[in-house]
Amino acid sequence: MRNHIVAIAGPKDKFANSFKKSDNVIIVPFGIEGHQDAADISMYDFLAEHQMEVDPLADEFFQFALSAYTGDVRVSRSLAFDGWTREFHLWMPVRNQRKWNAVKTHLENLLGFLTGDHWSIYFRERDDSYVTPEPEQKSLGIPISADVVSLFSGGLDSYIGAIDLIAKNKKPLLVGHHSLGGGPTSVAQKIAISALNKKSNIDTPFFRLWVSPKKGKFRASEITTRGRSILFIALGVVCSKAANSTKLYIPENGFISLNVPLTASRSGSFSTRTTHPYYIWLLQEVFNYLKIGVDLILPYKFKTKGEMIEECLDQDKVNLALKVTMSCSHPGVNRWVSGGNPNAHCGYCVPCIIRKGAIIRSRKDPTKYSYKLNKNLSESRSQDYRTFKMAIDRMRTEGPSLLDILSSGPIPGDNIIKQSHFDVYRRGIEEAAKVLKV
């Protein structure tokens, strides 16, 4: 089925009227007060509260990211011919059509790689009725003192990223993203930032932003949300420009960034590509050509999670981080355990296994896990455990290969860079092997 994502900007933009009612059209409005399809966005209010200006070009990229994300969460994969791969046609208004058309192929490849769908993008000149949001509280706002912006998920990697920046006498603005109304991600971020500020001598500013496309009525819902990462990075880009920072830090270990499928059958829905080298390279190429003026910095792309913990510049804070951060991909699973914490680690998903191996590399693990990795796990809960063991057995029998990391996508750069990515993959597997005792 063909899905049209139609962004409209400004009250005089009537482009959406050119589609038939029989088409599957998802309207994504910007700058149109009271529109029934307008997303809930907290970013503009956060920036206004702190006297920060919205850069028009960064705002344009944010709108592109939100439009793609809206299609991703509002078109069910169950309707696709193969139950997974959807067809999207994204219609996007921009100020400089010629310039955006020059990166059209990059953006189509980027979204296709990220979500696993087919994307076609059509840029058009923006109607002049759209006005970039401006702060309404300039005289009342609270200025932000920050010289660098870093994404903050509430996980261990992003916490270590913040610790290291502070230890280097940087003043980071941390940017997080969660759904409207809270949930496990929001809770994890609140707990982590509260602990970080309590332990530090400074009050680290944190923008806990939410962006939620409209739900309800006849709007479908899709839970895989592989397009979420482009929205998260877009929020960071807008905040970076508003803070006059030319660098956006994305703290994530290199092993999880590669996200190599553990077995051939795990190459579909299990392979998210949030910080994959190819995806980040495509994004940076787009930013450079459009002259957005933000460099994406992945300081731990050649480190495992265990190496991040060991080499953290403030070991007191990292020990606290082990108790307050959330790495689990199923944080709500514990709600079904009698008296359980609804925001606990499950203990059996891939991120939990990686976390366990990383921590025991250098110390005792204080994390509370709902389930142990043992023979009592159910068939569904032991799936990641079994596939990890298969990957380790295969690597030790056949030997690791550069083809392993290329199975999740191309690796830009020369042979030295490819070898560095391969080395972090090999070391990451060995960290996990200690948990699985194989």
Side-chain angles (χ1 to χ4, degrees), residues 2 60 102 210 215 240 251 277 281 328 395:
R2 179 175 296 185
E60 214 161 66
W210 66 82
K215 302 177 182 178
S240 294
W281 176 80
C328 183
M395 192 175 79

Side-chain angles (χ1 to χ4, degrees), residues 374-392:
N374 56 33
K375 61 183 179 182
N376 296 322
L377 277 177
S378 66
E379 181 74 14
S380 61
R381 287 179 177 145
S382 64
Q383 186 176 12
D384 289 344
Y385 170 73
R386 287 183 283 107
T387 52
F388 244 124
K389 290 189 71 172
M390 287 172 61
I392 292 166

Side-chain angles (χ1 to χ4, degrees), residues 414-429:
D414 58 23
N415 288 336
I416 295 176
I417 291 176
K418 288 180 173 63
Q419 184 64 44
S420 297
H421 283 297
F422 171 70
D423 288 342
V424 80
Y425 164 70
R426 177 180 48 78
R427 298 196 306 272
I429 286 287

